[in-house]
Amino acid sequence: SYFEKATRYLFEKKFGYEVTPRQGKGVATEDGEVRLSETEVLLWDNKSKRKDYKFCKDHQRQFKDYIDSSELIVRMFLVIVPLVNQNDEMEMLMSARDIKNSTKNKTDVAIITAKDLKYIADEWRNFSTKEKFDLSIFNYTGVLKNNYLTESMKRMK
């Protein structure tokens, strides 16, 4: 639960967004939701059980269910993990694409390490004068890596 609380803190305090409360205890839901507009949301799920994250069929089904059961359009879905093994990146990309292609709105599914998420939260203000972080940086399917994130932040205004 500390991992989930830390992620919520980053979205609220560092990125400047209100996080929608979860539906309730005992209900299988994503770990967080941020409203992007009247009709769109960003969802995320923390996976902290294993050090090296690997997509499994259960997670693919779980994430697809979260996305498709949302009343609003899920524009982006983040999977926040402790560590990504470089040898597993292609399989993760293919799993993320499978989810994207099977969702009703072709939702982008990005995998990001907690370390890289914290890096963005700590550094984005060095690249932007906006009040809130531009969440479109997460509009990506595959593994979000530090170099991509840095280049994307450099393009923020």
Side-chain angles (χ1 to χ4, degrees):
S1 82
Y2 290 120
F3 192 21
E4 292 173 17
K5 287 178 185 177
T7 303
R8 183 183 184 105
Y9 172 84
L10 293 180
F11 275 91
E12 289 180 338
K13 303 299 183 197
K14 295 285 194 162
F15 294 146
Y17 289 88
E18 183 177 332
V19 175
T20 305
R22 292 180 69 193
Q23 293 176 8
K25 288 185 176 182
V27 177
T29 63
E30 67 283 343
D31 292 327
E33 175 183 303
V34 171
R35 198 158 269 182
L36 302 171
S37 70
E38 291 295 317
T39 59
E40 297 181 327
V41 293
L42 173 149
L43 300 180
W44 76 78
D45 200 63
N46 297 90
K47 291 297 178 195
S48 59
K49 299 270 188 236
R50 298 184 220 166
K51 192 161 178 80
D52 286 359
Y53 180 73
K54 293 182 190 303
F55 256 110
C56 63
K57 290 291 183 194
D58 286 344
H59 288 172
Q60 284 182 287
R61 218 173 359 267
Q62 175 187 21
F63 300 155
K64 183 183 178 323
D65 288 347
Y66 291 165
I67 293 165
D68 285 341
S69 67
S70 175
E71 292 178 13
L72 300 173
I73 296 167
V74 180
R75 184 59 46 217
M76 298 166 258
F77 189 87
L78 284 178
V79 182
I80 305 165
V81 301
L83 186 66
V84 171
N85 184 319
Q86 195 172 16
N87 296 329
D88 296 327
E89 285 184 29
M90 183 55 68
E91 184 62 34
M92 294 174 84
L93 169 63
M94 300 314 291
S95 295
R97 283 188 179 166
D98 288 347
I99 297 168
K100 177 180 181 169
N101 291 331
S102 68
T103 57
K104 58 186 173 188
N105 294 304
K106 303 296 183 219
T107 301
D108 276 308
V109 177
I111 301 99
I112 187 169
T113 64
K115 180 180 176 181
D116 283 339
L117 185 64
K118 183 180 181 314
Y119 165 74
I120 297 168
D122 290 341
E123 297 297 324
W124 77 271
R125 291 198 183 272
N126 294 327
F127 301 98
S128 176
T129 58
K130 292 182 180 177
E131 187 177 317
K132 291 183 175 186
F133 177 72
D134 182 356
L135 293 172
S136 70
I137 198 170
F138 300 130
N139 201 2
Y140 182 88
T141 294
V143 179
L144 286 167
K145 293 179 155 192
N146 189 286
N147 56 350
Y148 169 84
L149 297 166
T150 300
E151 288 303 314
S152 297
M153 286 190 294
K154 285 179 182 176
R155 296 169 191 254
M156 296 171 103
K157 304 243 185 301

